[in-house]
Amino acid sequence: QDERGADRGDNSVPRVRSESVMSFSVAIPTPGGPFAIDVALGSSVIFVGANGGGKTRLAVLLEDALKLSAHRISAHRQLTLNPSVPKIGESHALAGLRVGYATAGEDVNYRGGHRWKSDAAVALLSDYDFLLQALFAEQTNKALITHTRVRAGDRGDADPTKFEQLAEMWERLLPHRKLEITGDDIRVGFPGLVPWYPASAMSDGERAIFYMIGQVLTASANSLLIVDEPELHVHRSIMSKLWDELEAARPDCAFAFITHDLEFAATRVAQKFVLRDYLPTPQWTLEAVPKDAGFSEEIATLLRFT
């Protein structure tokens, strides 16, 4: 580690790299040697495994090797939504969201010590404040651009903010709720009814959906978004619709889902792999699921009872 608490890479890290802006080439260590997987922008890959199958360790490996080309959303995530968070500049908020330190800029060496508290596999991810700060700052900057343009005589349509995109998507998924987002606050209500309630009082599911949409919308272009346990706190009835929306919203990114939920995995159009075993060397035993074949009863049993 360096003085910032960041893990420096070495030659023991298996090769996982971005071949170009069009795809990521992944080499996962297995008993038979590196197992190559290509993930193109606009597509996704799913790894399904039982408890103890090395799912989170695989997510960490991908993130570490891809540096800032990867953005990992941990299964251990804290979802306290505080709209009163102090407002900061957009570049600082995005740095906080990417590497956990607002003044780190593009220095990925801060990520291990600050975003992951030097324990990347089990640390509780607490970045909701940075996410809200990034969304509020982007809204402010885009509003200023529109204001300046209108003052100069341009009467063209205003570009939507990420907050507006998020609210539209959130309300499509939760049609009996409505978001009101101002310059410094967020409220939730029922269409046509009062009173509104503060966003901090959202249910777990409402906050989780808001968080996932925000994370995907604020991700850098040409990123691999690594989502560990995407199903957490989200009702099964809208899981597929949520990720349909998010993948469609970011064709400039690729997605890697890591889950033990076979039902969720079955709904996705993606490359699919089963993690059968894990050794901390590290080494995974995995197998590809043939396209359109689905998950066998043997695999379903493996995941159900472990």
Side-chain angles (χ1 to χ4, degrees):
Q1 290 189 331
D2 66 10
E3 68 276 11
R4 290 163 291 195
D7 290 329
R8 298 284 191 179
D10 58 36
N11 292 330
S12 68
V13 176
R15 185 168 62 90
V16 182
R17 61 189 178 88
S18 175
E19 292 286 352
S20 71
V21 296
M22 298 302 294
S23 67
F24 300 97
S25 182
V26 180
I28 299 173
T30 75
F35 188 98
I37 299 171
D38 290 321
V39 189
L41 296 179
S43 71
S44 60
V45 59
I46 296 178
F47 298 96
V48 181
N51 294 333
K55 298 189 302 297
T56 296
R57 304 287 173 175
L58 178 59
V60 171
L61 180 145
L62 300 180
E63 179 194 40
D64 284 349
L66 282 172
K67 307 301 181 187
L68 284 180
S69 293
H71 183 66
R72 178 167 67 97
I73 303 170
S74 172
H76 308 290
R77 43 188 181 261
Q78 198 257 20
L79 296 178
T80 300
L81 194 164
N82 175 25
S84 299
V85 63
K87 309 308 184 281
I88 64 176
E90 188 174 6
S91 62
H92 283 185
L94 288 174
L97 191 59
R98 308 272 189 266
V99 301
Y101 194 66
T103 59
E106 294 291 302
D107 191 348
V108 73
N109 290 304
Y110 283 87
R111 187 163 64 186
H114 290 269
R115 182 170 172 82
W116 300 120
K117 307 297 185 289
S118 300
D119 200 352
V122 300
L124 180 67
L125 177 58
S126 181
D127 64 347
Y128 220 138
D129 281 0
F130 282 130
L131 174 61
L132 291 174
Q133 288 170 326
L135 289 165
F136 275 117
E138 191 267 351
Q139 175 178 256
T140 297
N141 289 335
K142 190 160 284 185
L144 178 59
I145 290 170
T146 301
H147 173 81
T148 302
R149 200 174 68 200
V150 170
R151 294 277 295 194
D154 184 345
R155 295 296 187 265
D157 292 337
D159 294 329
T161 66
K162 288 185 170 63
F163 256 148
E164 288 175 320
Q165 294 173 278
L166 185 155
E168 289 175 4
M169 198 178 301
W170 193 88
E171 290 169 6
R172 282 197 297 271
L173 294 163
L174 300 168
H176 303 298
R177 298 288 189 275
K178 187 171 181 61
L179 285 175
E180 179 186 73
I181 300 172
T182 66
D184 57 8
D185 197 15
I186 306 170
R187 297 195 306 168
V188 186
F190 299 84
L193 298 176
V194 290
W196 294 73
Y197 58 92
S200 58
M202 283 183 181
S203 69
D204 288 345
E206 291 169 341
R207 279 182 280 118
I209 294 168
F210 189 107
Y211 176 83
M212 286 300 191
I213 297 172
Q215 286 278 2
V216 171
L217 292 180
T218 57
S220 297
N222 302 323
S223 293
L224 177 68
L225 282 79
I226 305 165
V227 188
D228 197 352
E229 297 194 22
E231 67 275 5
L232 282 182
H233 302 300
V234 180
H235 197 278
R236 284 187 180 276
S237 65
I238 61 173
M239 271 293 297
S240 182
K241 290 186 287 187
L242 169 63
W243 290 104
D244 284 347
E245 292 255 12
L246 292 178
E247 290 191 63
R250 295 305 306 267
D252 58 331
C253 291
F255 291 78
F257 299 107
I258 299 177
T259 182
H260 55 72
D261 189 331
L262 283 178
E263 185 173 325
F264 167 72
T267 67
R268 312 312 304 151
V269 177
Q271 298 181 74
K272 298 174 185 178
F273 299 89
V274 175
L275 302 176
R276 286 189 168 274
D277 199 10
Y278 167 72
L279 294 174
T281 45
Q283 193 174 90
W284 288 262
T285 300
L286 74 165
E287 67 180 69
V289 178
K291 188 176 181 180
D292 301 325
F295 295 99
S296 69
E297 181 60 30
E298 184 257 337
I299 291 173
T301 301
L302 172 71
L303 270 61
R304 189 180 301 126
F305 296 106
T306 55

